[in-house]
């Protein structure tokens, strides 16, 4: 699995801070990023030149068919790089397609087809601080941050029919 990470030290610092959070905190932060900034980010993900919307949609549909608890486990497995079929399929995606997949998960959460963050959930203070720092980045830096965050997730694809 290969991914490109920016050399921008600010972006790297933000990605590392995000990755140091607990898995469920990472997921919650991603949700709050989508809720707070989705209007500016979403036009960039689906329209990017290297994105494969059909592939992202296919993987999303696999997750959508699972129970809510299984959907949550898939997301946790992606972050933890657990070797599952969905995680390997995700690992074989291009960086921008991975970003679109997470965007589709967020849309699914809005629509109720993907397990939502509990309505009474409050983002921990360390996550709120990181969210504020992310909001302070330039738009291009935000997109690079999100791409660098989602890129290393998932597991290595396997050769041949074992994908």
């Amino acid at each position: 699995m290969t991914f490109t990470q920016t050399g921008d030290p600010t972006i790297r610092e933000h990605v590392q801070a995000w990755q140091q959070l607990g898995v469920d905190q990472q997921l919650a932060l991603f949700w709050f990023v989508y809720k707070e900034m989705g209007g500016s980010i979403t036009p960039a993900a689906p329209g990017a030149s290297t994105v494969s919307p059909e592939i992202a949609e296919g993987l999303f549909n696999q997750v959508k068919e699972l129970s809510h608890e299984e959907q949550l486990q898939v997301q946790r497995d992606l972050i933890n790089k657990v070797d599952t079929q969905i995680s390997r399929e995700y690992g074989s995606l291009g960086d921008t397609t991975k970003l679109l997949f997470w965007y589709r998960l967020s849309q699914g959460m809005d629509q109720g087809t993907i397990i939502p963050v509990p309505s009474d959930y409050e983002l921990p203070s360390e996550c709120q601080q990181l969210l504020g720092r992310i909001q302070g980045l330039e738009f291009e830096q935000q997109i690079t941050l999100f791409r660098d965050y989602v890129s290393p997730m998932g597991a290595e694809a396997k050769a041949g029919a074992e994908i």
Side-chain angles (χ1 to χ4, degrees):
M1 178 171 30
T2 60
F3 64 94
T4 309
Q5 193 168 31
T6 182
D8 182 329
T10 300
I11 301 301
R12 292 181 88 119
E13 174 189 319
H14 283 71
V15 169
Q16 289 170 352
W18 201 335
Q19 291 171 335
Q20 289 173 359
L21 298 171
V23 171
D24 289 341
Q25 288 180 332
Q26 289 181 47
L27 289 171
L29 180 57
F30 218 1
W31 167 246
F32 278 86
V33 163
Y34 168 74
K35 292 305 288 177
E36 296 288 324
M37 304 163 61
S40 62
I41 293 166
T42 53
S49 62
T50 59
V51 76
S52 298
E54 301 82 13
I55 295 172
E57 192 67 24
L59 190 58
F60 168 76
N61 286 333
Q62 287 182 57
V63 175
K64 184 174 77 169
E65 297 303 317
L66 301 172
S67 71
H68 275 186
E69 192 56 43
E70 290 169 320
Q71 292 170 354
L72 179 57
Q73 190 59 51
V74 164
Q75 294 174 62
R76 288 171 172 158
D77 288 350
L78 290 173
I79 289 173
N80 288 322
K81 302 175 182 149
V82 176
D83 187 5
T84 66
Q85 178 159 342
I86 289 177
S87 193
R88 289 189 303 272
E89 290 172 358
Y90 176 90
S92 70
L93 301 177
D95 294 349
T96 307
T97 305
K98 290 176 180 179
L99 193 57
L100 179 57
F101 169 74
W102 283 100
Y103 168 65
R104 287 294 293 121
L105 286 177
S106 295
Q107 286 182 316
M109 291 170 78
D110 256 355
Q111 298 161 355
T113 57
I114 300 296
I115 186 171
V117 172
S119 58
D120 61 346
Y121 182 83
E122 290 189 28
L123 201 59
S125 62
E126 62 190 311
C127 296
Q128 289 176 4
Q129 291 171 1
L130 184 53
L131 176 60
R133 290 175 32 211
I134 291 168
Q135 289 171 318
L137 296 173
E138 297 293 323
F139 175 74
E140 294 78 17
Q141 288 180 304
Q142 290 172 353
I143 295 300
T144 300
L145 166 64
F146 302 141
R147 190 172 293 121
D148 283 4
Y149 172 66
V150 301
S151 293
M153 291 180 188
E156 289 281 344
K158 293 188 178 180
E162 296 182 63
I163 293 176

